[in-house]
């Protein structure tokens, strides 16, 4: 698997491609401000190269330059 992208935002990596509607709903929720105006500071990774990525294997794919303390694996 390829190394994850290095961004200033927290990564949300799609790892399951069987539920397109669930991914669309998650993406809409993350990209829409809350009632209080909060907007998640995330970068969505929708790439089939990461299908089935596990927490253990994800650790090996984090770039050294990745400075965010959070990485989310979206297994819908």
């Amino acid at each position: 698997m390829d190394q994850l992208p290095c961004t200033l935002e927290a990564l949300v990596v799609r790892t399951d491609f069987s539920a397109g509607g669930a991914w669309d709903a998650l993406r809409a929720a993350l990209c829409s401000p809350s009632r209080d105006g909060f907007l998640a500071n995330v970068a969505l990774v929708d790439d089939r190269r990461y299908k089935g990525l596990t927490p253990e294997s994800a650790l090996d794919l984090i770039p050294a330059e990745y400075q965010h303390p959070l990485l989310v694996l979206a297994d819908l």
Side-chain angles (χ1 to χ4, degrees), residues 62-74:
I62 298 172
E65 308 83 36
Y66 187 70
Q67 297 297 311
H68 208 285
L70 179 67
L71 171 68
V72 177
L73 300 182

Side-chain angles (χ1 to χ4, degrees), residues 7 9-12 30-31 39-44 70 72:
T7 67
E9 301 86 10
L11 291 175
V12 177
L30 291 173
C31 295
L39 185 60
N41 188 24
V42 296
L44 302 175
L70 179 67
V72 177

Side-chain angles (χ1 to χ4, degrees), residues 2-63:
D2 293 337
Q3 191 172 46
L4 292 165
C6 188
T7 67
L8 296 177
E9 301 86 10
L11 291 175
V12 177
V13 183
R14 183 177 183 182
T15 63
D16 182 338
F17 290 82
S18 64
W23 174 254
D24 292 340
L26 176 63
R27 185 179 55 204
L30 291 173
C31 295
S32 300
S34 71
R35 289 183 293 189
D36 297 325
F38 173 78
L39 185 60
N41 188 24
V42 296
L44 302 175
V45 179
D46 186 3
D47 189 325
R48 289 192 178 272
R49 291 181 294 178
Y50 302 112
K51 180 179 179 182
L53 184 66
T54 64
E56 296 79 17
S57 58
L59 293 175
D60 294 331
L61 302 180
I62 298 172

